[in-house]
């Protein structure tokens, strides 16, 4: 890829532009994008214009820019996440109908839990998870499951810290986290009371491929002091059914 005078590649600049969009910042002006991406104004305007031209970004009547549906379409249609989501959806709906709290599906992405689906009911309690949002591995039930059943090298990197506290219950001591991961492997699931927000308890189970390697975590977010038994039974049952559905896709 051709480089700019400052040495960063076309692709690098493109990614920086796209990364200025976040779950809470979905609409921006080209000037704001340029500032946030650290690009000269004229470069930002040119890149944004080109991306709008091909449909990866869209411009509204006020000339403000958002992520285009074309980008969503291209990213979604051939992704592994879509295949997983399709296999999981009927069983997530069953969990959600029976437990009547948030049910969510996460995969490991760049050392964080990335949420590819989330179902809720109006009566469900607090939940900070967003679809296409991320949570730290050491602080969420899904993350803990992805970590506990993940590769040794990943565990070593996360245990080396920093283990940032999100609440007073977040595990920030490497020895305590190592013990928690061993407990999760023994039990086959994670329960994380108050670890990412004080008012909730996350409960998560692994979803594995035919070799036994973990591919995702399925979780429920409950009010902090709610019983976890029903959620655990339903999550384990759903994980087995999702694994079977994934095998049948081959
Ligand atoms: C969790 O998975 O532990 C979790 C996720 C989102 C919340 C609370 C807990 O809002």
């Amino acid at each position: 890829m051709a480089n700019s005078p400052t040495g960063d590649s076309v692709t690098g600049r493109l990614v920086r532009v796209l990364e200025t969009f976040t779950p809470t910042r979905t609409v921006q002006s080209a000037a704001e994008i340029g500032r946030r991406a650290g690009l000269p104004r004229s470069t930002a305007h040119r890149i944004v214009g080109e991306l709008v031209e091909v449909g990866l970004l869209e411009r509204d009547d006020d000339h403000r820019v958002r992520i285009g549906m074309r980008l969503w379409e291209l990213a979604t249609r051939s992704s592994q996440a879509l295949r997983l989501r399709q296999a999981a959806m009927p069983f997530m709906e069953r969990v959600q109908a029976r437990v009547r709290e948030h049910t969510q599906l996460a995969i490991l992405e760049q050392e964080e839990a990335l949420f590819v689906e989330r179902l809720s009911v109006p009566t469900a309690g607090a939940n900070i998870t967003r679809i296409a949002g991320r949570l730290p591995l050491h602080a969420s039930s899904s993350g803990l499951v992805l970590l506990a059943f993940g590769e040794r090298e990943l565990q070593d990197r996360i245990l080396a810290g920093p283990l940032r506290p999100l609440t007073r219950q977040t595990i920030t001591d490497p020895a305590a986290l190592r013990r928690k991961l061993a407990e999760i492997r023994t039990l086959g699931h994670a329960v994380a009371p108050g670890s990412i927000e004080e008012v909730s308890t996350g409960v998560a189970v692994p979803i594995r491929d035919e070799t036994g390697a973990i591919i995702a975590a399925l979780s429920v977010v409950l009010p902090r002091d709610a019983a976890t038994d029903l959620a655990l039974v339903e999550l384990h049952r759903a994980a087995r059914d999702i694994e079977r559905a994934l095998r049948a896709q081959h």
Side-chain angles (χ1 to χ4, degrees), residues 47-118:
I47 294 177
V48 166
E50 287 171 5
L51 290 173
V52 168
E53 187 91 352
V54 295
L56 298 187
L57 294 180
E58 288 170 1
R59 227 194 283 270
D60 63 21
D61 295 342
D62 298 330
H63 271 255
R64 292 172 61 79
V65 181
R66 60 178 77 233
I67 295 283
M69 284 311 288
R70 179 97 179 110
L71 184 55
W72 174 85
E73 179 191 355
L74 289 175
T76 307
R77 72 176 169 211
S78 61
S79 76
Q80 280 290 94
L82 179 66
R83 186 176 150 260
L84 171 68
R85 186 182 159 278
Q86 274 172 341
M89 203 53 145
F91 307 108
M92 290 183 69
E93 279 167 357
R94 189 178 67 198
V95 173
Q96 206 262 340
R98 293 189 181 165
V99 182
R100 302 195 62 71
E101 296 289 352
H102 310 276
T103 305
Q104 35 205 39
L105 184 65
I107 57 174
L108 176 70
E109 176 64 22
Q110 295 167 326
E111 305 195 354
E112 289 179 302
L114 172 65
F115 288 83
V116 297
E117 190 51 88
R118 168 191 152 161

Side-chain angles (χ1 to χ4, degrees), residues 102 104 115 126-129 135 139-144 191-197 199-204 219-222:
H102 310 276
Q104 35 205 39
F115 288 83
N127 184 357
I128 61 166
T129 316
L135 290 179
S140 59
S141 61
S142 302
L144 287 166
V191 177
S195 127
I196 204 141
E197 39 170 13
V199 295
S200 311
T201 291
V203 183
S219 64
V220 164
V221 179
L222 302 169

Side-chain angles (χ1 to χ4, degrees), residues 151-169:
E151 291 181 356
R152 186 61 201 271
E153 295 75 41
L154 173 70
Q155 291 163 8
D156 290 343
R157 283 198 301 277
I158 299 297
L159 284 161
L163 300 170
R164 197 165 68 83
L166 286 119
T167 69
R168 278 173 299 144
Q169 279 70 43

Side-chain angles (χ1 to χ4, degrees), residues 10 20 31 41 74 82 102 121 134 152 159 180-181 191 201 225-226 246 249:
V10 172
T20 62
R41 205 184 162 86
L74 289 175
L82 179 66
H102 310 276
V121 284
R134 294 167 180 235
R152 186 61 201 271
L159 284 161
K180 180 76 177 175
L181 297 180
V191 177
T201 291
D225 296 319
L246 283 169
Q249 281 181 353

Side-chain angles (χ1 to χ4, degrees), residues 196-242:
I196 204 141
E197 39 170 13
E198 304 272 356
V199 295
S200 311
T201 291
V203 183
V205 300
I207 297 174
R208 302 165 186 272
D209 67 13
E210 51 282 346
T211 70
I214 185 163
I215 46 179
L218 183 66
S219 64
V220 164
V221 179
L222 302 169
R224 174 68 181 267
D225 296 319
T228 56
D229 317 32
L230 173 67
L232 280 168
V233 169
E234 292 299 336
L235 285 172
H236 278 295
R237 184 175 297 154
R240 280 199 302 277
D241 287 331
I242 294 167

